[in-house]
Amino acid sequence: MLVPVAVAAAVTTALATPSSLTCALGPSWQGLHGSLGPARRLQWPKKQKQCRRKVYAIDIRAQFELKPPPYPLDALEPHMSKETLEYHWGKHHRGYVDNLNKMIAGTELDELSLEDIILATYSKGDLLPPFNQAAQTWNHDFFWESMKPGGGGKPSGELLELINRDFGSFERLIDDLRSAASTQFGSGWAWLAYKANRLDVGNAVNPKPSDEDKKLVVVKSPNAVNPLIWDYSPLLTIDVWEHAYYLDFQNRRADYISVFLEKLVSWEAVSSRLEIAKARATEREEEEERKKREEEEKTSDGGEVPEIYVDNKSDDSETE
Ligand SMILES: [Fe+2]
């Protein structure tokens, strides 16, 4: 789901003071491009600014939580073992969340959503230190929700229609996902994403309008990088870091990918994400149209007023 990760409010002190906001809250994910600005470069390290919101007797400070998978740790057996979940979620994912919280404490990032932190610290590929921790936190939340007990099978409805339109067939999509996941050299991720039509993606180097707009695409990414930084809407991911499969499959990544696609993937989650992605794309298009209209109206309002000349001589002559 493309929603900000909930932050936990930690009560740190007890102050008998009235409500006051000691620093500006960060923009929402959807508002990031407009308010923070994708091309804005953060200075790092930041001065140790305390971003704390004092609400009467409570001093609240944002912390990201380690979200549990939406099923028990043994629920994916026998395809993904409880032991793998205990290490992958309980140790690796937890490590990313803990490190992220330590790295952003007291910085400008402290009050941003997880997505905003990812976009701000990607910095056109010149990664700032918290990027890997933030992106890996987001990627793993997304990965757990990409699977379900009794998963696999075939999608239906609009998702299947778009798959057939953009890949030719469901089997071709599976081949493309399998290929992306198996050929990602070293650690990384394979993705199915919805590529909306965006003319201005200042944070990323490569996206330009193309025939691929408003289509489903399969992409792969190294290390912690995810399609959010290209302004794509991720729909599905396969974690191909070795820690995702080594306990169950040792070095047989191809077997792990097959089991993921045949037994674990949740096409229901992908369908829900597609609906959100399309709604978001429509909302952005309407917003861009509205801004364009406002600009045009401003231009026409501020344009030169046509001057009206009165030919007095001619009027006089007529009266004479
Ligand atoms: Fe992982």
Side-chain angles (χ1 to χ4, degrees), residues 88 140 239 243:
H88 195 178
H140 282 89
D239 185 346
H243 65 221

Side-chain angles (χ1 to χ4, degrees), residues 48-291:
Q48 294 299 301
K49 184 173 71 175
Q50 292 298 312
C51 289
R52 292 183 176 186
R53 188 169 33 172
K54 295 172 183 173
V55 183
Y56 291 100
I58 301 173
D59 189 1
I60 298 173
R61 186 173 172 190
Q63 288 274 299
F64 290 102
E65 286 181 318
L66 174 66
K67 281 172 66 178
Y71 35 75
L73 297 188
D74 61 357
L76 301 182
E77 291 189 332
H79 310 298
M80 187 176 285
S81 67
K82 181 182 178 187
E83 190 183 15
T84 285
L85 269 287
E86 284 173 345
Y87 275 92
H88 195 178
W89 173 74
K91 304 236 181 247
H92 292 281
H93 191 175
R94 184 185 302 279
Y96 298 128
V97 176
D98 289 348
N99 286 335
L100 174 64
N101 284 327
K102 284 179 202 160
M103 293 174 87
I104 65 173
T107 74
E108 282 186 25
L109 302 172
D110 202 350
E111 295 282 350
L112 297 186
S113 72
L114 190 55
E115 290 83 0
D116 283 355
I117 293 174
I118 291 168
L119 295 180
T121 58
Y122 180 68
S123 187
K124 291 189 175 180
D126 184 14
L127 308 182
L128 298 178
F131 174 80
N132 285 333
Q133 311 301 326
Q136 284 293 79
T137 296
W138 192 96
N139 294 349
H140 282 89
D141 286 339
F142 197 78
F143 175 64
W144 306 128
E145 291 171 5
S146 295
M147 298 184 286
K148 68 170 191 177
K154 197 171 175 179
S156 59
E158 187 182 12
L159 174 59
L160 183 58
E161 286 172 20
L162 290 189
I163 288 170
N164 288 333
R165 184 195 71 180
D166 297 339
F167 296 94
S169 67
F170 173 68
E171 290 71 27
R172 179 62 191 271
L173 165 67
I174 294 298
D175 286 347
D176 285 1
L177 281 169
R178 200 187 298 275
S179 172
S182 59
T183 60
Q184 170 54 44
F185 182 75
S187 300
W189 302 80
W191 306 85
L192 173 66
Y194 181 73
K195 183 179 184 297
N197 178 21
R198 294 283 288 155
L199 299 179
D200 178 17
V201 187
N203 193 44
V205 177
N206 55 342
K208 298 198 185 304
S210 77
D211 292 341
E212 297 300 308
D213 289 347
K214 291 189 173 178
K215 286 187 176 177
L216 302 178
V217 291
V218 167
V219 290
K220 57 185 176 182
S221 61
N223 302 317
V225 171
N226 69 39
L228 292 178
I229 57 94
W230 301 312
D231 205 34
Y232 296 0
S233 295
L235 304 178
L236 172 69
T237 193
I238 309 173
D239 185 346
V240 293
W241 283 60
E242 215 170 57
H243 65 221
Y245 57 87
Y246 202 83
L247 288 177
D248 292 331
F249 297 92
Q250 290 75 54
N251 64 337
R252 303 190 314 276
R253 185 193 283 190
D255 291 348
Y256 155 70
I257 294 166
S258 291
V259 165
F260 178 95
L261 291 170
E262 292 165 17
K263 305 290 184 185
L264 295 173
V265 60
S266 170
W267 292 114
E268 289 80 3
V270 177
S271 287
S272 300
R273 290 162 172 171
L274 175 63
E275 273 185 42
I276 293 169
K278 290 184 66 185
R280 177 175 163 247
T282 301
E283 196 176 295
R284 284 184 165 189
E285 277 185 351
E286 289 172 355
E287 178 67 12
E288 283 171 3
E289 275 299 314
R290 188 185 62 75
K291 282 182 183 168

